[in-house]
Each structure stands twice: as C-alpha cells, then as structure tokens.
C-alpha cells in the first residue's frame, strides 16, 4: 500500500513545480507529472496547495523538569505545526556520564510521535569527557552544546577550545550559547542592587554587546581549533556583524535564529501588566531593527537555520515567579508549533524571503548540518516521506485556545496568519489531518545521525 499526493505544488530549497509524489514503505519512491493509484492506496488531493518537506526543528527542550511538554505532548504540538523531526537537548546530570545522560533522554523520548535526535550538553572538560565525546557518534549523536553563560553549565575559553577540538576530531559539530555570562551576572547584581527588577531588566542586563562579544570570542576560538561551530539563537545585529565577519574569514560557522527574534520585540517586556514576564528568554527579545537585520541575513544566506528553542514553562508556578524579580522567571518561550506559520506570514507572504528559502532554512540546512541529509530535509527519491501539505489560501489564528503545546498561554496569541497546515505525514503515515493530530505515541524513531563532514557546509551554507 502506497500514499500518493496528487496535483500539489512541490517546494524544494531551489524550486517550486507541479508534480505528484508517491511514498512506499515510508520513503519517497516516485515524483512525476501524474501518478496513478490502486484501490488500496491512500490518495491525498493537494490541488492549489504546497507540498513541503517536513520541518526539522534543531532546537527544542522537551522533557525538561518543571515544563509542561514531555515528548508525547511536545511532539504532537510540533507535528501540528509541520515539524516531522526534532533535535532536542539533553540536560547534564552531574552524577552520571554524558553517555548515561543520553540513555536517559532516549528513554524519555520513546513516546514521541515524530522522529528525534539529541544534542548532548557538555558542561565540563577533563580527559574522561574528551573520551566520552569520541564515543557519542557511535550512539548517533553528532552535535554537542556548550554554554558561555549560566554558572552551573558554562565552560571557560580554554575548555571551549579543547572541547571544540575533541568534537571536530569525532565528526561532531559544536552548538554554542554565546552570551558573556560573567559580565551578565555582574550586570544582574547591579540591577538588583538598584531595585531594577521588572522584566525589561532581563533584557537590559543581557545587552547585544554581551552577545556580540561572546559570539566573536567563540568564533575566534573555533577558528584556532579549526572546528565547525553552530551559534544557536542569534538575536541581534551586533552578534550578526561578528558572525558575518567570521564567515567571511572562512570559519566553518553556522547561524541559527528563532521565530521570536523575527516576530516579537522588547516592547513585550516593557508592558506594565503581569504578562510581560512571559516573554523572558535568553538572549532576550531585541528591537524591530534587529528583526529586519536578521531577515536580511537569512536572505543573504548568513543565517542557515531556524530553531524554535521551545521551552514550555508554565505561567502559574513558573513565569509568574518573576513578576517582581526577573531573575526568578524561568528562561525560554514555547513555540514549537508556530514556526512554519510565522515564517510563511512574516517571511514569504510579506515578501522578505521566498518559499524555497523557507524550505532551505527549516528543513534542508538543518538536515545537512546535523547529519540527516538526504534521509531528511528533502523531497528526493529515497528520502523519508516526511511531508507537509500547506494551503496558502486559508488562514490561521494562533491562539492558546487551539494550540497543542501544553502552556496556558501563547506568546503569539491572536496573530492572524495567511496559510493553514492541512496535513502532515511522517514516513508516509498521516500524523496530522484536519487540524487534529492522529499520529500515535511511539511512532517516532530515534535518529542515528551521520558525522559532520565537509559536504555539510557546501553551497549556500
Ligand atoms: N538557552 C537555550 O538554548 N534555551 C533556553 C534558555 C537558554 O538560555
Ligand atoms: Zn541557549
Ligand atoms: Zn535552547
């Protein structure tokens, strides 16, 4: 039995064309002008609709203690937004090894309805850690993440250099959270001493210069280590200036931004009501000017990917703790299900990027960088049948009333966007239909990802 999608407009990272597409045994088997069907086949009519490769969200935090989305609810939310693959972060548990962390996180993810992989967070450096890094690719993990902020997790420059070198040797790409944590901690102390405790001080104590400084430093260290580096959640013009310079020097660097830095701005943190605290994330929301600079860097190819950075902190007993002291609010925003809708509206519909560019940054590029291409991230023969059918002639109102993610709020509440996600397939099976998630818990498979190789950064990457 096969699944055939007929009459749709297929969108790849380079073109849009009308064709039918057939999926057999979970993989794309034929793409042709017209494909006939047998009685037992599932036929989906996609007339006047776009057929896109499923999104790969390379930056999610499902299953974090105190948050509302585990892998089942979070992956359902992701699927409803057209995401068919996630790469989630592990959390270091300092009483065990990173390989043990991975085993624990793989067990947590068993109920996912979409395919998944992990980036291992590494928060220290010693000879045993270097040995463990060398073993991660055999377990399917070909990316790690380092922090330059947060006392409990941050590594210093020397450690970063050694870890980058070890990662490179193992065929691993290193994600970096680039903010100058030492100085930010001082700025926070100063703010609290002056009783500057409102949510906007979260942004004032994490200024663009501290993101730019750390970004520049991380890139210089990667340059000396001759290692590939991926800067997560780039939020501002200053950091992008440093990032673009490094790329021009030939550093093998990839940049990620998030929908919140394209759609929301620091004014959300300034409102006097208690809602402002919901918008606390790191790096913080920036200005409208930063948004336009980020769009231009997506268009020019400097920024390679979009990650949601989904973290489903509750408002009650979570975000609300920071209303009178921003340092008490957990960091991070929920948004795993709105990436495609937001990028279509603010990117494609409003003319900032093309639809193939959207496919490139949400699917093809993350697949290439993180060792999943061409199994994922493309509509090629032999690729997994991970597909989104998107109707550009309908519209969607983003709201907590209809969302699948677990939070009591939606940071994009009330935004009316062009486009509707009609149907989502994972390896040929329909997992979202008529706005309902029909995929089963446990359908998702753990992805053993390939090592980072030179082809990973060919072309516009
Ligand atoms: N960094 C992340 O990548 N996610 C949530 C919070 C943070 O600082
Ligand atoms: Zn981070
Ligand atoms: Zn994150």
């Amino acid at each position: 039995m096969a699944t055939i999608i007929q009459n749709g407009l297929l969108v790849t990272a380079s073109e849009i064309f009308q064709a039918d597409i057939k999926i057999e045994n979970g993989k794309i088997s034929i793409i042709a002008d017209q494909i006939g069907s047998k009685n037992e086949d599932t036929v989906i009519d996609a007339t006047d609709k776009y057929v896109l490769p499923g999104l790969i969200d390379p930056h999610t935090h499902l299953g974090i203690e105190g948050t509302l989305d585990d892998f089942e609810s979070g992956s359902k939310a992701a699927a409803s937004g057209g995401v068919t693959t996630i790469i989630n972060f592990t959390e270091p548990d300092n009483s065990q090894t990173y390989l043990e962390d991975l085993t624990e996180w793989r067990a947590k993810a068993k109920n996912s309805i979409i395919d998944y992989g992990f980036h291992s967070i590494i928060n220290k450096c010693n000879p045993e850690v270097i040995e463990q890094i060398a073993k991660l690719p055999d377990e399917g993990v070909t990316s790690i993440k380092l922090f330059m902020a947060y006392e409990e997790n941050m590594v210093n420059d020397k450690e970063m250099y050694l870890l980058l070198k070890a990662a490179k040797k193992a065929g691993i790409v290193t994600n970096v959270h680039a903010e100058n944590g030492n100085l930010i901690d001082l700025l926070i102390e100063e703010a609290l001493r002056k009783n500057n405790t409102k949510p906007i001080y979260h942004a004032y104590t994490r200024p663009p210069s501290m993101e730019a400084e750390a970004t520049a430093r991380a890139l210089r260290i990667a340059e000396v280590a001759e290692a590939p580096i991926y800067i997560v959640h780039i939020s501002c013009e200053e950091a992008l200036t440093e990032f673009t310079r490094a790329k021009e020097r030939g550093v093998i660097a990839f940049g990620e931004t998030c929908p919140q830095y394209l759609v929301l701005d620091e004014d959300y943190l300034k409102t006097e009501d208690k809602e402002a605290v919901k918008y606390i994330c790191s790096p913080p929301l920036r200005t409208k000017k930063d948004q336009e600079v980020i769009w231009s860097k997506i268009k020019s190819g400097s920024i390679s990917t979009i990650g949601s950075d989904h973290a489903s902190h509750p408002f009650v007993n979570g975000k609300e703790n920071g209303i009178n002291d921003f340092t008490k609010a957990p960091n991070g925003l929920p948004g795993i299900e709105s990436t495609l809708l937001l990028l279509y509206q603010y990117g494609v519909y409003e003319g900032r990027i093309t639809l193939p560019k959207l496919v490139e940054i949400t699917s093809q590029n993350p697949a290439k960088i993180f060792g999943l291409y061409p199994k994922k991230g493309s509509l090629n023969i032999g690729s997994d049948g991970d597909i989104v059918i998107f109707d550009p002639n309908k519209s969607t109102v983003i709201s907590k009333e209809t969302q699948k993610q677990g939070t009591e709020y939606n940071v994009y509440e009330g935004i009316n966007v062009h486009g509707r996600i009609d149907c989502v397939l994972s390896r040929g099976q329909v997992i979202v239909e008529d706005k309902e998630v029909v995929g089963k818990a446990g359908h998702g498979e753990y992805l053993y990802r390939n090592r980072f190789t030179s082809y990973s950064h060919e072309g516009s990457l």
Side-chain angles (χ1 to χ4, degrees):
M1 193 191 93
T3 303
I4 301 164
I5 303 168
Q6 292 179 332
N7 307 315
L9 286 164
L10 273 56
V11 189
T12 71
S14 52
E15 56 181 336
I16 304 177
F17 58 99
Q18 177 127 25
D20 291 357
I21 184 163
K22 184 170 186 176
I23 304 153
E24 290 173 288
N25 301 317
K27 300 209 178 282
I28 296 171
S29 56
I30 307 177
I31 296 174
D33 282 352
Q34 282 194 321
I35 304 174
S37 61
K38 296 193 190 122
N39 278 346
E40 68 270 26
D41 293 338
T42 303
V43 177
I44 301 171
D45 179 25
T47 304
D48 296 331
K49 295 175 189 171
Y50 291 122
V51 177
L52 321 170
L55 275 70
I56 297 170
D57 188 336
H59 190 149
T60 63
H61 298 278
L62 301 182
I64 301 287
E65 213 180 304
T67 60
L68 296 167
D69 283 321
D70 59 14
F71 280 83
E72 184 172 343
S73 67
S75 65
K76 284 183 172 167
S80 74
V83 175
T84 51
T85 300
I86 52 169
I87 312 179
N88 205 76
F89 290 92
T90 63
E91 287 268 285
D93 167 344
N94 293 319
S95 69
Q96 60 187 20
T97 68
Y98 297 119
L99 293 166
E100 286 164 342
D101 287 343
L102 179 64
T103 307
E104 186 183 314
W105 279 82
R106 282 188 60 177
K108 279 192 189 205
K110 282 245 171 332
N111 278 343
S112 178
I113 74 158
I114 57 173
D115 294 349
Y116 56 93
F118 289 102
H119 310 281
S120 287
I121 291 182
I122 306 291
N123 60 349
K124 55 184 173 298
C125 179
N126 58 43
E128 291 81 52
V129 169
I130 302 288
E131 267 176 43
Q132 286 169 49
I133 288 175
K135 290 183 183 149
L136 284 173
D138 293 336
E139 304 300 322
V141 171
T142 52
S143 48
I144 58 171
K145 181 178 181 188
L146 309 179
F147 284 89
M148 299 171 84
Y150 305 122
E151 190 68 38
E152 66 284 9
N153 278 337
M154 64 196 254
V155 294
N156 63 33
D157 294 354
K158 193 168 137 188
E159 291 168 332
M160 181 179 278
Y161 170 77
L162 293 170
L163 292 166
L164 275 159
K165 275 188 44 154
K168 191 232 163 125
K169 194 168 166 209
I172 284 175
V173 62
T174 301
N175 293 257
V176 173
H177 174 123
E179 286 187 300
N180 184 325
N182 289 327
L183 238 81
I184 286 170
D185 287 346
L186 264 182
L187 297 179
I188 292 172
E189 274 176 35
E190 277 176 22
L192 294 182
R193 257 203 313 275
K194 293 182 194 153
N195 211 21
N196 290 330
T197 57
K198 290 188 175 158
I200 187 61
Y201 284 95
H202 172 76
Y204 293 159
T205 55
R206 308 184 91 88
S209 53
M210 291 295 94
E211 184 182 341
E213 185 280 329
T215 302
R217 185 157 36 102
L219 290 160
R220 287 288 182 185
I221 296 171
E223 190 171 4
V224 180
E226 296 180 11
I229 184 167
Y230 178 100
I231 308 290
V232 294
H233 50 47
I234 301 177
S235 73
C236 61
E237 179 176 13
E238 288 86 338
L240 278 167
T241 301
E242 301 297 344
F243 183 78
T244 311
R245 272 193 201 137
K247 269 185 96 125
E248 283 166 3
R249 289 199 304 275
V251 181
I252 302 169
F254 307 102
E256 172 199 89
T257 193
C258 312
Q260 52 269 36
Y261 302 120
L262 294 165
V263 175
L264 306 175
D265 60 64
E266 64 178 15
D267 287 351
Y268 286 84
L269 289 161
K270 287 182 183 163
T271 56
E272 284 300 322
D273 60 31
K274 61 184 173 44
E275 306 292 297
V277 76
K278 287 179 191 165
Y279 295 90
I280 287 185
C281 59
S282 297
L285 301 177
R286 305 294 191 187
T287 65
K288 291 197 169 59
K289 170 146 187 270
D290 289 296
Q291 294 175 359
E292 291 309 325
V293 173
I294 301 172
W295 280 115
S296 73
K297 296 294 181 186
I298 291 174
K299 194 171 172 188
S300 70
S302 284
I303 287 192
S304 299
T305 65
I306 307 285
S308 69
D309 202 358
H310 179 82
S312 56
H313 298 292
F315 186 74
V316 175
N317 289 325
K319 292 281 191 187
E320 68 173 1
N321 298 337
I323 290 173
N324 297 316
D325 175 353
F326 68 90
T327 65
K328 303 267 183 341
N331 256 301
L333 308 186
I336 201 166
E337 63 192 74
S338 26
T339 298
L340 174 55
L341 291 170
L342 292 168
L343 287 186
Y344 184 78
Q345 173 65 32
Y346 293 95
V348 179
Y349 187 83
E350 295 190 3
R352 294 182 176 93
I353 57 169
T354 64
L355 194 50
K357 185 64 166 178
L358 183 152
V359 165
E360 185 190 330
I361 58 177
T362 60
S363 192
Q364 182 173 288
N365 285 350
K368 285 188 171 176
I369 297 167
F370 293 116
L372 291 168
Y373 192 82
K375 176 179 167 64
K376 305 288 188 191
S378 95
L379 294 179
N380 287 336
I381 308 294
S383 296
D384 283 356
D386 293 354
I387 287 174
V388 181
I389 300 175
F390 184 85
D391 187 344
N393 300 308
K394 297 268 171 33
S395 62
T396 307
V397 178
I398 301 178
S399 170
K400 64 177 190 252
E401 306 303 333
T402 47
Q403 71 185 12
K404 307 288 186 242
Q405 63 201 16
T407 48
E408 323 94 302
Y409 60 97
N410 189 310
V411 292
Y412 305 107
E413 186 65 39
I415 295 183
N416 193 348
V417 294
H418 289 87
R420 192 180 77 178
I421 294 160
D422 263 11
C423 180
V424 181
L425 291 89
S426 164
R427 286 178 272 108
Q429 283 192 32
V430 174
I431 57 170
V432 177
E433 199 174 23
D434 292 333
K435 296 194 193 156
E436 283 314 311
V437 180
V438 295
K440 297 276 173 288
H443 167 81
E445 288 178 355
Y446 175 66
L447 295 164
Y448 284 82
R449 296 184 287 120
N450 295 322
R451 286 176 168 80
F452 182 88
T453 57
S454 54
Y455 94 91
S456 313
H457 63 276
E458 274 169 9
S460 70
L461 280 171

